[in-house]
Amino acid sequence: MEIVYCDSLSLVDKVFILKLWNSEYPTSIEHKDIKSLETYLNALTAPKHYFLIVNKKAVGWYCDFDRDNARWFAMIIAREMQGKGAGTKLIENAKKNNTALNGWVVQDNSLIRKDGSAYPSPILFYARNGFEITHKTWETEALKTVKIKWNG
């Protein structure tokens, strides 16, 4: 497994992120097209993008960015790589490059992915990787999340 930093995203990178996002995240936060994803990405302040590469193929994407005077992140790992240390590798890399990280994660397993399978909450993954699960929640029509944070 190799982590590759990308200072600007190409169209190929965006297509990969879009496909990964829409296959792994719940359908309630799906991006309908590249333009929708670009709107999301363009709203991020000072983003740093990393791709996880296995056998010369991208299998994960991680991005950290500034929001509300703190460093936040988003991460998606291809299903076939989940449970194999891929996410932990990206998080370890993020911890080397940041003094603190914040994120929102889905609280339960009630949401559905595009293929009809349940979206598994990553709360336990982040707890195992040293993140504090806070009591702060954020809820929309699309999903219910809880804030996670790590301080180095």
Side-chain angles (χ1 to χ4, degrees), residues 122-134:
I123 285 179
L124 293 178
F125 164 81
Y126 287 110
R128 283 192 309 268
N129 280 280
F131 283 76
E132 174 190 347
I133 312 303
T134 72

Side-chain angles (χ1 to χ4, degrees), residues 104-109 119-129 131-134 144-148:
W104 293 105
V105 296
V106 172
Q107 299 180 49
D108 60 41
N109 299 326
Y119 173 77
S121 170
I123 285 179
L124 293 178
F125 164 81
Y126 287 110
R128 283 192 309 268
N129 280 280
F131 283 76
E132 174 190 347
I133 312 303
T134 72
K144 296 177 185 178
T145 61
V146 64
K147 183 179 177 187
I148 59 170

Side-chain angles (χ1 to χ4, degrees), residues 5 14 16 35 43 48 54 57 64 70 83 91 94 113 129:
Y5 172 72
K14 292 174 188 176
F16 167 75
K35 186 172 182 160
K48 292 184 179 176
V54 174
K57 178 184 172 198
D64 55 54
I91 289 297
R113 295 188 252 196
N129 280 280

Side-chain angles (χ1 to χ4, degrees), residues 87-147:
T88 297
K89 186 165 180 79
L90 281 171
I91 289 297
E92 287 171 354
N93 184 69
K95 287 177 176 179
K96 288 177 191 172
N97 295 312
N98 294 282
T99 58
L101 291 167
N102 298 276
W104 293 105
V105 296
V106 172
Q107 299 180 49
D108 60 41
N109 299 326
S110 65
L111 297 175
I112 302 298
R113 295 188 252 196
K114 194 171 193 166
D115 68 358
S117 65
Y119 173 77
S121 170
I123 285 179
L124 293 178
F125 164 81
Y126 287 110
R128 283 192 309 268
N129 280 280
F131 283 76
E132 174 190 347
I133 312 303
T134 72
H135 296 288
K136 186 172 183 178
T137 60
W138 179 55
E139 204 171 311
T140 68
E141 288 181 23
L143 68 167
K144 296 177 185 178
T145 61
V146 64
K147 183 179 177 187

Side-chain angles (χ1 to χ4, degrees), residues 47-77:
K48 292 184 179 176
H49 301 277
Y50 298 85
F51 291 93
L52 185 64
I53 309 297
V54 174
N55 297 325
K56 299 183 181 181
K57 178 184 172 198
V59 295
W61 169 72
Y62 168 93
C63 176
D64 55 54
F65 51 92
D66 292 333
R67 177 189 291 156
D68 300 328
N69 298 312
R71 200 71 181 161
W72 290 77
F73 76 98
M75 181 172 76
I76 313 170
I77 304 296

Side-chain angles (χ1 to χ4, degrees), residues 8-43:
S8 64
L9 296 175
S10 69
L11 180 57
V12 170
D13 295 333
K14 292 174 188 176
V15 168
F16 167 75
I17 294 167
L18 178 68
K19 287 180 181 178
L20 189 63
W21 184 296
N22 287 345
S23 68
E24 301 304 334
Y25 276 165
T27 56
S28 58
I29 58 170
E30 179 180 40
H31 285 287
K32 300 296 182 195
D33 52 32
I34 287 288
K35 186 172 182 160
S36 172
L37 177 68
E38 286 176 332
T39 299
Y40 167 80
L41 294 170
N42 290 338

